[in-house]
Amino acid sequence: MGLLIIDEKKCRKDGICARECPAAVINLSENSIPEILPDTEARCMDCGHCVAICPHDALRHARISAAGSPAIQPALVIDAARAEQFLRSRRSVRRYHAKPVEKEKIQRLIEVARYAPTAGNGQSVEWIVIGDGERLRRIRVLTVDFMRELVKNPQAVAAAPYLPATIAAWDAGNDSILRGAPTLVTAIAPASARLGLVDLTLALSYLDVFAQSMGLGTCWAGLVSGALENSAAVREAACIPENYTHYYSIMLGYPAVQYHRLPERKTPKITFVE
Ligand SMILES: Cc1cc2nc3c(=O)[nH]c(=O)nc-3n(C[C@H](O)[C@H](O)[C@H](O)COP(=O)(O)O)c2cc1C
């Protein structure tokens, strides 16, 4: 059996799937039924475009679950105004309730985040979710230790002038590192994923915006991520495996704040070349 399973009663032989295939591996047989020939199977990225585009529900892909490929529900399509407000109302949350985030909710967030695009449909992003208070404390302390070393270098302070104040706030008893978030989510990708950082940043962005629809808040954990990049001790505390060279963390929790307006941002510089 080939990769494509065609319901010949439903197939209109219109070649839509073949035209859409980004890897150009779908061939139309003599009777115009789509197929992937054995010698090109390896080039198929399993991206699912063929399944998604067939308007007649005539095509299945052997490596893509049919049950996991539901039809798009018109009633759930959001218009541009709703989408714009949803995206614009996402904000970094820096005050959280102590309430832990339920595992099922985190799982749902990550299940949605996996639909972010990945280079070559590599889907190599993995996740480390830390809710253990003692481990989070160690990550914070080690991050501050790293920052204390960093600020000894005037060039580092010039590049990140907020560092001394962040350390001072920590020393004054404020969690300036993880803002009291009960959960730290780190997206990781192995060294073999050439564009792993791009892939995981996109996945985290999906998680970031989707979280607000579930009543959750997030904030990108740049200080921890900077420490992860430079300190093996922080990587160990954050459970990053040795051969994973791409990572970034985000705070997650129930927000103790609510926002009411959509402050404007800088006017974008756009160069249209026509
Ligand atoms: C890559 C990245 C790292 C960040 N790191 C931190 C951080 O360590 N601590 C923090 O409080 N905010 C952090 N932020 C949040 C930014 O300050 C915030 O996104 C920006 O001020 C815009 O505000 P908004 O996210 O509420 O729209 C980070 C944001 C990004 C994108």
Side-chain angles (χ1 to χ4, degrees):
M1 191 180 71
L3 278 185
L4 298 188
I5 303 138
I6 307 298
D7 182 336
E8 296 197 22
K9 287 200 196 92
K10 290 182 178 173
C11 179
R12 304 269 180 90
K13 305 177 180 180
D14 47 23
I16 292 174
C17 52
R19 279 197 301 280
E20 182 63 14
C21 174
V25 290
I26 299 182
N27 177 61
L28 296 181
S29 67
E30 262 176 33
N31 56 355
S32 295
I33 295 291
E35 60 185 1
I36 298 181
L37 296 172
D39 58 336
T40 57
E41 268 189 12
R43 278 181 24 227
C44 172
M45 304 187 276
D46 303 341
C47 71
H49 264 29
C50 50
V51 174
I53 197 122
C54 179
H56 324 299
D57 189 29
L59 183 150
R60 298 277 178 265
H61 187 290
R63 294 197 293 240
I64 298 170
S65 142
S69 309
I72 292 172
Q73 295 183 48
L76 294 184
V77 172
I78 51 173
D79 64 20
R82 283 175 203 276
E84 181 181 339
Q85 174 164 292
F86 178 64
L87 290 170
R88 280 189 64 179
S89 54
R90 181 225 54 88
R91 299 210 67 86
S92 296
V93 169
R94 297 188 179 85
R95 276 201 300 126
Y96 296 89
H97 292 298
K99 179 184 173 190
V101 182
E102 300 83 344
K103 208 169 178 178
E104 309 76 59
K105 290 201 176 172
I106 299 172
Q107 223 144 8
R108 182 158 183 223
L109 279 177
I110 292 174
E111 298 222 343
V112 168
R114 77 188 152 129
Y115 290 99
T118 54
N121 198 32
Q123 298 186 46
S124 56
V125 179
E126 296 176 32
W127 303 87
I128 296 167
V129 180
I130 301 179
D132 168 25
E134 179 47 36
R135 188 172 287 277
L136 289 174
R137 196 192 64 79
R138 203 152 78 239
I139 292 170
R140 290 187 191 97
V141 168
L142 288 169
T143 297
V144 176
D145 287 350
F146 162 73
M147 286 161 52
R148 287 192 209 281
E149 281 305 307
L150 203 58
V151 294
K152 289 179 185 165
N153 175 356
Q155 277 177 339
V157 179
Y162 52 83
L163 283 176
T166 309
I167 297 171
W170 172 265
D171 289 340
N174 300 312
D175 178 8
S176 51
I177 308 301
L178 288 180
R179 311 282 181 177
T183 309
L184 184 70
V185 178
T186 305
I188 63 172
S192 56
R194 209 171 46 83
L195 295 170
L197 186 59
V198 177
D199 292 347
L200 69 83
T201 304
L202 286 162
L204 279 171
S205 297
Y206 270 43
L207 183 147
D208 186 15
V209 292
F210 184 55
Q212 66 176 332
S213 72
M214 294 174 68
L216 292 164
T218 52
C219 183
W220 291 70
L223 298 170
V224 168
S225 300
L228 283 175
E229 206 175 322
N230 293 284
S231 159
V234 184
R235 285 198 293 279
E236 195 192 332
C239 308
I240 311 287
E242 272 292 311
N243 52 337
Y244 285 67
T245 52
H246 312 288
Y247 29 76
Y248 215 93
S249 302
I250 201 162
M251 307 163 212
L252 177 70
Y254 284 97
V257 287
Q258 204 183 351
Y259 297 105
H260 304 283
R261 297 195 72 82
L262 307 170
E264 201 182 11
R265 292 252 158 105
K266 286 184 197 165
T267 307
K269 280 190 189 168
I270 309 175
T271 307
F272 288 107
V273 181
E274 287 161 340

